[in-house]
Amino acid sequence: MGHTCRALTTVEAYTAHPANRVELERPVDYMMRAMESLGEPGAVAERGRQAGRELGEKPALAVRETARRGLARLEQIPDNAILGVPVGGMRLVDYLPTRVFELTIHTLDIASAIGKEVEPPPAAMEITLYLMADQALRLGRGPVLALATTGRWTLPEGFTLLG
C-alpha cells in the first residue's frame, strides 16, 4: 500500500519543487534514470515500508486525502510546468505517466496479494503497457517481449524490465 500511495505523494512533493530546465523528455527517460540511481531493491522496499507507516491507523482515509490533495494541486499548475524530480528536470505532463504506471502495477500487486481480480481502467493499462514497451526497447529486450507476448517464446526465468 505504501508504494502505491507514493505514486500520489510524489506528485504533490515534486510539483512543489520546480526546476529550471528539462533534462528528461519522455516518461521512459525518467524510468531508466530512476532505475539507475534510485532502483536499489533494498532502498525501494524501505521507501515503500516507510510510506506504509505514514498511512497511519486509517490507511484508506489517508490515501483518499492524498489523492484529493494531489488532484487539487494538479488543477493549479500547467501541464508544461517543469518539476524537480530526483533524477532531473521534467515536465509534469511527461512525469504523470510514470505515476499511472506505478498506480497500475501496484494496484495489480495488491489485488494479487489479497486474492482478488482487478481490471484497471483501459487508459491506465494503455499507459502502463506503452511505458513497458518503451523500456523493453531501451533495454534491448524488445524482440524477447514481442516473441513472448505473441506466444512464440516464453519469457526467460527472472525476466524483468525494471532492473
Side-chain angles (χ1 to χ4, degrees):
M1 282 299 300
H3 255 108
T4 307
C5 194
R6 274 184 53 79
L8 303 170
T9 59
T10 58
V11 170
E12 186 176 19
Y14 300 160
T15 57
H17 299 286
N20 294 324
R21 65 185 176 97
V22 173
E23 298 170 86
L24 306 164
E25 292 283 340
R26 300 177 58 217
V28 70
D29 297 335
Y30 170 85
M31 297 295 283
M32 299 302 292
R33 180 98 45 99
M35 283 190 305
E36 291 169 6
S37 61
L38 302 172
E40 192 280 312
V44 171
E46 183 52 35
R47 285 192 300 270
R49 285 190 288 273
Q50 179 59 37
R53 287 188 290 271
E54 290 171 4
L55 292 175
E57 296 295 317
K58 297 183 179 179
L61 182 63
V63 171
R64 278 193 292 277
E65 178 57 23
T66 300
R68 185 200 61 74
R69 282 192 323 265
L71 289 171
R73 178 70 179 134
L74 289 175
E75 290 178 6
Q76 298 171 356
I77 61 174
D79 290 349
N80 64 349
I82 302 172
L83 312 181
V85 301
V87 294
M90 183 171 204
R91 282 181 219 83
L92 173 64
V93 70
D94 297 320
Y95 179 67
L96 288 179
T98 72
R99 303 305 82 205
V100 172
F101 173 90
E102 293 286 339
L103 283 169
T104 302
I105 294 299
H106 291 306
T107 296
L108 292 168
D109 288 340
I110 293 167
S112 177
I114 62 173
K116 299 284 183 180
E117 286 193 31
V118 64
E119 184 69 32
M125 283 306 310
E126 180 179 355
I127 289 167
T128 299
L129 294 172
Y130 273 113
L131 188 46
M132 290 172 61
D134 282 349
Q135 285 180 263
L137 291 170
R138 289 278 180 96
L139 294 168
R141 296 183 183 146
V144 173
L145 188 60
L147 290 168
T149 58
T150 58
R152 287 161 173 80
W153 284 7
T154 58
L155 291 173
E157 180 75 26
F159 181 89
T160 182
L161 298 173
L162 299 178

